[in-house]
Amino acid sequence: TQLLEQSPQFLSIQEGENLTVYCNSSSVFSSLQWYRQEPGEGPVLLVTVVTGGEVKKLKRLTFQFGDARKDSSLHITAAQPGDTGLYLCAGAIGGSYIPTFGRGTSLIVHP
Amino acid sequence: KAGVTQTPRYLIKTRGQQVTLSCSPISGHRSVSWYQQTPGQGLQFLFEYFSETQRNKGNFPGRFSGRQFSNSRSEMNVSTLELGDSALYLCASSLDGTGDEKLFFGSGTQLSVL
Protein backbone atom coordinates (compact mmCIF):
# COMPACT_ATOMS: atom_id res chain seq x y z
CA THR A 1 0.00 0.00 0.00
CA GLN A 2 1.36 3.38 -1.03
CA LEU A 3 1.59 5.90 1.78
CA LEU A 4 0.98 8.66 -0.74
CA GLU A 5 -1.56 8.07 -3.51
CA GLN A 6 -1.37 10.31 -6.54
CA SER A 7 -4.10 10.75 -9.12
CA PRO A 8 -4.57 10.66 -11.94
CA GLN A 9 -1.71 8.38 -12.93
CA PHE A 10 -1.63 9.73 -16.49
CA LEU A 11 -2.89 12.95 -18.02
CA SER A 12 -2.73 13.98 -21.67
CA ILE A 13 -4.07 17.44 -22.50
CA GLN A 14 -3.87 20.20 -25.08
CA GLU A 15 -1.91 23.40 -24.60
CA GLY A 16 -3.98 26.03 -22.84
CA GLU A 17 -6.08 23.64 -20.75
CA ASN A 18 -6.20 23.69 -16.96
CA LEU A 19 -5.56 20.65 -14.81
CA THR A 20 -5.38 19.50 -11.21
CA VAL A 21 -3.43 16.58 -9.80
CA TYR A 22 -3.89 15.17 -6.34
CA CYS A 23 -1.78 13.65 -3.60
CA ASN A 24 -3.65 11.88 -0.80
CA SER A 25 -2.74 9.97 2.33
CA SER A 26 -4.30 8.64 5.50
CA SER A 27 -1.23 9.87 7.41
CA VAL A 28 -0.45 13.33 8.66
CA PHE A 29 2.65 14.93 7.18
CA SER A 30 4.76 17.65 8.73
CA SER A 31 5.25 18.97 5.21
CA LEU A 32 4.70 17.97 1.61
CA GLN A 33 6.92 18.61 -1.34
CA TRP A 34 6.14 18.64 -5.04
CA TYR A 35 8.76 17.69 -7.61
CA ARG A 36 8.78 17.65 -11.39
CA GLN A 37 10.88 15.11 -13.23
CA GLU A 38 11.63 15.41 -16.91
CA PRO A 39 12.60 12.38 -18.99
CA GLY A 40 16.20 11.35 -18.39
CA GLU A 41 16.63 13.65 -15.42
CA GLY A 42 16.23 13.54 -11.66
CA PRO A 43 13.29 15.19 -9.87
CA VAL A 44 13.50 18.93 -9.23
CA LEU A 45 11.78 20.48 -6.25
CA LEU A 46 8.95 22.88 -7.12
CA VAL A 47 7.58 23.79 -3.71
CA THR A 48 7.28 22.76 -0.07
CA VAL A 49 4.02 23.30 1.81
CA VAL A 50 4.14 23.24 5.57
CA THR A 51 1.00 24.73 7.13
CA GLY A 52 -2.43 23.11 6.91
CA GLY A 53 -4.59 25.06 4.46
CA GLU A 54 -1.56 26.75 2.93
CA VAL A 55 -1.73 27.88 -0.69
CA LYS A 56 1.39 28.68 -2.66
CA LYS A 57 1.59 30.05 -6.18
CA LEU A 58 4.47 29.63 -8.57
CA LYS A 59 3.56 31.48 -11.78
CA ARG A 60 0.85 29.28 -13.37
CA LEU A 61 1.14 26.58 -10.68
CA THR A 62 -0.96 26.67 -7.51
CA PHE A 63 -0.23 24.28 -4.67
CA GLN A 64 -2.54 23.63 -1.76
CA PHE A 65 -1.97 21.70 1.46
CA GLY A 66 -5.07 20.22 3.07
CA ASP A 67 -6.28 21.57 6.42
CA ALA A 68 -5.53 18.23 8.09
CA ARG A 69 -2.11 18.00 6.36
CA LYS A 70 -3.02 14.65 4.81
CA ASP A 71 -3.45 15.74 1.21
CA SER A 72 -2.29 18.24 -1.34
CA SER A 73 -3.17 19.38 -4.83
CA LEU A 74 -1.36 21.00 -7.71
CA HIS A 75 -3.33 23.10 -10.18
CA ILE A 76 -1.80 24.24 -13.47
CA THR A 77 -3.46 27.05 -15.39
CA ALA A 78 -3.10 27.30 -19.15
CA ALA A 79 -0.74 24.34 -19.45
CA GLN A 80 2.19 24.61 -21.83
CA PRO A 81 4.28 21.87 -23.51
CA GLY A 82 7.11 22.80 -21.16
CA ASP A 83 4.97 21.57 -18.26
CA THR A 84 5.29 18.02 -19.58
CA GLY A 85 6.83 15.69 -17.04
CA LEU A 86 6.27 13.45 -14.06
CA TYR A 87 4.87 15.27 -11.03
CA LEU A 88 5.76 13.68 -7.73
CA CYS A 89 4.62 14.49 -4.24
CA ALA A 90 6.73 13.54 -1.25
CA GLY A 91 6.34 13.87 2.47
CA ALA A 92 7.99 12.93 5.73
CA ILE A 93 5.96 11.73 8.70
CA GLY A 94 6.76 13.22 12.08
CA GLY A 95 10.48 13.43 12.65
CA SER A 96 11.39 10.90 9.98
CA TYR A 97 14.46 11.68 7.93
CA ILE A 98 13.06 9.81 4.99
CA PRO A 99 10.54 11.40 2.64
CA THR A 100 8.07 8.99 1.04
CA PHE A 101 7.27 9.55 -2.61
CA GLY A 102 4.04 8.95 -4.44
CA ARG A 103 4.18 7.14 -7.79
CA GLY A 104 3.56 10.35 -9.64
CA THR A 105 1.28 11.81 -12.28
CA SER A 106 2.69 11.67 -15.79
CA LEU A 107 1.57 14.79 -17.67
CA ILE A 108 1.83 15.33 -21.41
CA VAL A 109 0.85 18.70 -22.84
CA HIS A 110 0.37 18.67 -26.60
CA PRO A 111 1.08 21.83 -28.60
CA LYS B 1 27.61 25.75 -7.62
CA ALA B 2 27.87 22.31 -9.22
CA GLY B 3 24.87 20.03 -8.86
CA VAL B 4 24.73 16.40 -7.82
CA THR B 5 26.81 14.28 -10.17
CA GLN B 6 26.14 10.61 -10.78
CA THR B 7 28.33 8.27 -12.77
CA PRO B 8 28.04 6.36 -14.93
CA ARG B 9 24.97 7.60 -16.75
CA TYR B 10 24.12 4.22 -18.27
CA LEU B 11 25.12 0.68 -17.42
CA ILE B 12 24.36 -2.67 -18.98
CA LYS B 13 25.13 -5.75 -16.94
CA THR B 14 24.17 -9.41 -16.98
CA ARG B 15 22.56 -11.43 -14.23
CA GLY B 16 24.93 -12.46 -11.48
CA GLN B 17 27.34 -9.58 -11.99
CA GLN B 18 27.87 -6.79 -9.52
CA VAL B 19 27.83 -3.04 -10.09
CA THR B 20 29.07 0.08 -8.31
CA LEU B 21 27.43 3.47 -8.81
CA SER B 22 28.93 6.76 -7.74
CA CYS B 23 27.42 10.00 -6.46
CA SER B 24 29.11 13.33 -5.76
CA PRO B 25 26.83 15.61 -3.71
CA ILE B 26 26.63 19.37 -3.78
CA SER B 27 29.55 20.91 -1.94
CA GLY B 28 28.70 21.33 1.74
CA HIS B 29 25.92 18.75 1.73
CA ARG B 30 26.50 16.01 4.24
CA SER B 31 23.49 13.80 3.62
CA VAL B 32 23.31 11.52 0.60
CA SER B 33 20.35 9.27 -0.06
CA TRP B 34 19.75 6.71 -2.78
CA TYR B 35 16.51 5.79 -4.50
CA GLN B 36 15.48 3.15 -7.01
CA GLN B 37 12.92 4.29 -9.57
CA THR B 38 10.89 1.90 -11.69
CA PRO B 39 7.69 2.51 -13.66
CA GLY B 40 5.76 0.09 -11.47
CA GLN B 41 6.95 1.07 -8.01
CA GLY B 42 7.97 4.70 -8.37
CA LEU B 43 10.77 6.02 -6.17
CA GLN B 44 11.74 3.55 -3.48
CA PHE B 45 14.14 4.59 -0.74
CA LEU B 46 17.31 2.50 -0.51
CA PHE B 47 19.43 4.12 2.18
CA GLU B 48 20.75 7.42 3.50
CA TYR B 49 24.24 8.31 4.65
CA PHE B 50 25.29 11.16 6.87
CA SER B 51 28.87 11.83 7.93
CA GLU B 52 30.05 8.46 6.62
CA THR B 53 27.41 6.53 8.60
CA GLN B 54 24.36 4.78 7.28
CA ARG B 55 21.59 6.52 9.16
CA ASN B 56 18.51 5.04 7.51
CA LYS B 57 17.79 1.99 5.40
CA GLY B 58 14.85 0.99 3.24
CA ASN B 59 13.39 -2.44 2.63
CA PHE B 60 15.86 -3.81 0.13
CA PRO B 61 17.83 -7.07 0.35
CA GLY B 62 21.40 -7.17 1.56
CA ARG B 63 22.64 -7.32 -2.02
CA PHE B 64 22.21 -3.56 -2.00
CA SER B 65 24.87 -1.78 -0.01
CA GLY B 66 26.50 1.58 0.11
CA ARG B 67 29.08 3.74 1.74
CA GLN B 68 30.03 7.36 2.14
CA PHE B 69 33.49 8.84 2.15
CA SER B 70 34.90 11.66 4.25
CA ASN B 71 34.32 14.13 1.39
CA SER B 72 30.61 13.09 1.40
CA ARG B 73 30.87 11.30 -1.93
CA SER B 74 28.89 8.10 -1.89
CA GLU B 75 28.84 4.80 -3.70
CA MET B 76 26.24 2.10 -3.85
CA ASN B 77 26.90 -1.48 -4.79
CA VAL B 78 24.55 -4.16 -6.02
CA SER B 79 25.86 -7.69 -5.99
CA THR B 80 24.49 -10.76 -7.77
CA LEU B 81 22.36 -8.69 -10.11
CA GLU B 82 18.84 -9.86 -10.95
CA LEU B 83 16.64 -8.87 -13.88
CA GLY B 84 14.38 -7.00 -11.47
CA ASP B 85 17.24 -4.70 -10.50
CA SER B 86 16.87 -2.90 -13.83
CA ALA B 87 15.92 0.63 -12.85
CA LEU B 88 16.95 4.25 -12.66
CA TYR B 89 19.07 4.75 -9.55
CA LEU B 90 18.89 8.26 -8.20
CA CYS B 91 21.10 9.92 -5.67
CA ALA B 92 20.00 12.99 -3.74
CA SER B 93 21.91 15.26 -1.43
CA SER B 94 20.87 17.73 1.23
CA LEU B 95 22.51 19.73 3.97
CA ASP B 96 21.54 17.64 6.98
CA GLY B 97 19.03 15.11 5.72
CA THR B 98 16.00 16.10 7.78
CA GLY B 99 12.74 14.93 6.25
CA ASP B 100 11.52 18.43 5.42
CA GLU B 101 14.72 19.50 3.76
CA LYS B 102 15.02 20.18 0.06
CA LEU B 103 16.55 17.26 -1.82
CA PHE B 104 18.78 17.89 -4.82
CA PHE B 105 18.77 14.95 -7.20
CA GLY B 106 21.32 13.85 -9.73
CA SER B 107 20.32 12.76 -13.23
CA GLY B 108 20.57 9.13 -12.22
CA THR B 109 22.23 5.98 -13.45
CA GLN B 110 20.09 3.87 -15.76
CA LEU B 111 20.93 0.23 -15.05
CA SER B 112 19.81 -2.50 -17.40
CA VAL B 113 20.30 -6.11 -16.33
CA LEU B 114 20.15 -8.64 -19.16
Side-chain angles (χ1 to χ4, degrees):
Chain A
T1 304
Q2 281 290 113
L3 204 56
L4 282 169
E5 297 286 347
Q6 289 192 245
S7 61
Q9 190 175 357
F10 300 100
L11 200 50
S12 179
I13 62 171
Q14 293 296 128
E15 183 175 2
E17 292 184 25
N18 301 331
L19 66 118
T20 302
V21 298
Y22 301 92
C23 174
N24 296 296
S25 175
S26 57
S27 300
V28 176
F29 290 89
S30 55
S31 68
L32 268 177
Q33 299 172 331
W34 284 92
Y35 291 81
R36 179 171 66 212
Q37 183 177 19
E38 297 182 15
E41 298 297 328
V44 176
L45 181 69
L46 296 173
V47 78
T48 300
V49 285
V50 179
T51 307
E54 180 178 6
V55 177
K56 279 192 175 179
K57 291 194 175 184
L58 190 66
K59 296 183 181 178
R60 294 177 293 100
L61 279 59
T62 302
F63 304 85
Q64 187 161 7
F65 201 12
D67 291 340
R69 305 208 315 275
K70 293 182 178 182
D71 55 85
S72 181
S73 64
L74 158 59
H75 181 80
I76 300 178
T77 304
Q80 298 176 1
D83 296 326
T84 292
L86 180 67
Y87 288 83
L88 296 157
C89 66
I93 298 176
S96 171
Y97 286 106
I98 309 305
T100 299
F101 282 80
R103 290 184 184 171
T105 292
S106 181
L107 171 67
I108 297 176
V109 182
H110 301 278
Chain B
K1 200 177 200 181
V4 178
T5 304
Q6 290 189 247
T7 56
R9 193 78 172 84
Y10 302 95
L11 263 179
I12 299 175
K13 293 285 187 179
T14 56
R15 280 181 298 173
Q17 288 186 309
Q18 75 165 24
V19 66
T20 299
L21 313 181
S22 180
C23 172
S24 293
I26 290 173
S27 178
H29 285 192
R30 296 186 296 170
S31 171
V32 174
S33 51
W34 288 88
Y35 290 83
Q36 181 195 66
Q37 186 176 30
T38 58
Q41 296 298 317
L43 268 89
Q44 301 287 308
F45 171 74
L46 281 156
F47 28 66
E48 184 245 354
Y49 286 86
F50 181 82
S51 293
E52 302 179 65
T53 301
Q54 187 181 87
R55 190 164 59 175
N56 294 281
K57 190 177 188 305
N59 295 322
F60 278 82
R63 300 185 297 106
F64 292 81
S65 63
R67 60 179 175 168
Q68 187 180 34
F69 302 95
S70 58
N71 62 358
S72 293
R73 189 177 71 85
S74 178
E75 289 180 348
M76 68 162 281
N77 183 277
V78 188
S79 62
T80 319
L81 283 166
E82 300 177 0
L83 295 178
D85 297 334
S86 294
L88 179 67
Y89 290 87
L90 291 162
C91 158
S93 76
S94 64
L95 281 168
D96 294 313
T98 58
D100 298 342
E101 212 172 39
K102 178 176 180 176
L103 292 177
F104 294 82
F105 283 87
S107 297
T109 294
Q110 184 67 55
L111 172 64
S112 297
V113 182
L114 307 177

